[in-house]
Amino acid sequence: MKNLISMRDLSKEDIMRLMDTAAKIEKGEIVPNMQRKLAALLFFEPSTRTMFSFDTAMKRMNGDTIIMSGTGNTSAKKGETFADTLQTIAQYSDIIIMRSSIEGAARYAAEVVDLPVVNAGDGANQHPTQALLDLYSIIKTQGKLDNLKIGLAGDLRFGRTVHSLAQAMAIFGAEFKFISPSFLQMPQYIKDDLAEKDIKYEEFNDIEGNIDDLDILYVTRVQRERFADPEDYEKVKGSYVLNKKMLQNVKKYFKVLHPLPRVDEIHTDVDDTEFAYYFPQAKNGVYARQAIISILLEEV
Ligand code: CP
């Protein structure tokens, strides 16, 4: 692994190595040392979890970070090209972790600079580090990744987390239920990918009646920022609200995951149930990202 741009770039062996490394880091069995290493966090879109968990991951390993949050105070405002900004940041850092609204931006960055680049989300395309922490959360709650039944619900069209997660879980023979309003269905290119691998999926419009046979329900926010027409957003916002009553007959080890932030798609009455796992999931992001950085910088 030189970069982490898309889940499609990772083999099953790569993923299992990342899972094993994250587990060992969490248990304190390995303690990567990033002393004198700097991660550049370039976040051209807002973030709470991804940015702060990468920052935490680096600092827990005795490394440090430099952070660009938006372009407001940088020389991009004076007309500097993106390529020149990247080349410059590369002089100060050991790894670049980047979020952008532009699909393909991280792959472009990886072509421009000669150090590892991590895609922390590129538009509606990919969010591979989220998928890896999701896989780590699934292993921790289900004891395995193979042959699980996963429901992906909400904005499957613009949600980069579900694109990456569907591709990741396909490697492990998952069966999917895609639950969304018609306007927000999973893109055809992801469905074609799954069909090519003989992965079963069914599509539904309603959450109710589609939960009880699942191992994991992965709920997502409707991505308002990706809609070209605000009227389209108004039509689908609030399409689903998962609540405690809907969870009466779920499987014993069933868990609700969400990449967060949530808006209103999971009622807070779910938070205190044994099925809610979205806040521990966010914590798992630190271990997964420690593993990603350590492997890319060859410190484990
Ligand atoms: N899950 C996730 O990407 O959250 P943030 O947008 O807060 O980073």
Side-chain angles (χ1 to χ4, degrees), residues 43 46-52 99 120 127 130 133 160-161 218 221 258-261 289:
F43 277 69
S47 170
T48 300
R49 280 143 292 273
T50 312
M51 192 171 82
F52 287 116
R99 170 171 287 189
H127 196 347
Q130 177 69 45
L133 80 88
R160 57 194 172 201
T161 61
Y218 192 94
R221 169 181 71 92
H258 191 310
L260 303 176
R289 288 172 172 132

Side-chain angles (χ1 to χ4, degrees), residues 93-292:
S93 51
D94 299 286
I95 184 168
I96 289 180
I97 296 159
M98 194 177 89
R99 170 171 287 189
S100 169
S101 60
I102 300 167
E103 294 182 22
R107 196 166 298 281
Y108 172 74
E111 283 164 16
V112 170
V113 301
D114 198 22
L115 42 91
V117 173
V118 176
N119 181 4
D122 62 330
N125 184 31
Q126 283 277 319
H127 196 347
T129 71
Q130 177 69 45
L132 289 165
L133 80 88
D134 296 337
L135 295 186
Y136 188 54
S137 301
I138 292 170
I139 286 195
K140 282 177 71 173
T141 60
Q142 308 298 317
K144 63 175 189 173
L145 287 174
D146 290 303
N147 304 319
L148 294 169
K149 192 154 187 179
I150 313 277
L152 301 179
D155 185 349
L156 308 186
R157 178 176 179 176
F158 299 119
R160 57 194 172 201
T161 61
V162 284
H163 301 162
S164 294
L165 185 58
Q167 289 173 334
M169 286 306 295
I171 294 173
F172 297 92
E175 188 179 331
F176 293 104
K177 283 186 172 180
F178 296 151
I179 305 163
S180 70
S182 303
F183 184 72
L184 297 178
Q185 277 183 352
M186 188 63 91
Q188 193 58 46
Y189 75 91
I190 301 273
K191 293 190 275 191
D192 290 346
D193 254 16
L194 300 181
E196 228 174 74
K197 296 183 173 87
D198 286 328
I199 296 296
K200 276 198 227 159
Y201 66 84
E202 294 174 284
E203 296 185 285
F204 301 93
N205 291 130
D206 297 309
I207 280 196
E208 275 194 287
N210 280 310
I211 298 178
D212 296 351
D213 59 343
L214 297 176
D215 299 297
I216 295 284
L217 177 63
Y218 192 94
V219 184
T220 60
R221 169 181 71 92
V222 178
Q223 311 271 304
R224 178 167 47 183
E225 64 276 26
R226 311 263 179 247
F227 283 69
D229 183 347
E231 274 186 28
D232 285 335
Y233 173 73
E234 290 302 318
K235 282 182 208 153
V236 291
K237 74 171 189 190
S239 295
Y240 309 119
V241 181
L242 181 75
N243 63 46
K244 189 176 175 171
K245 251 173 69 183
M246 295 174 177
L247 303 175
Q248 277 169 352
N249 297 311
V250 293
K251 288 167 86 168
K252 188 172 175 194
Y253 298 113
F254 170 82
K255 289 286 178 272
V256 178
L257 269 59
H258 191 310
L260 303 176
R262 77 173 145 184
V263 179
D264 52 10
E265 57 279 356
I266 300 178
H267 193 285
T268 51
D269 71 4
V270 177
D271 295 1
D272 293 332
T273 69
E274 67 199 274
F275 309 115
Y277 195 73
Y278 23 94
F279 292 114
Q281 180 188 356
K283 182 174 182 179
N284 289 336
V286 175
Y287 308 122
R289 288 172 172 132
Q290 281 181 279
I292 292 163

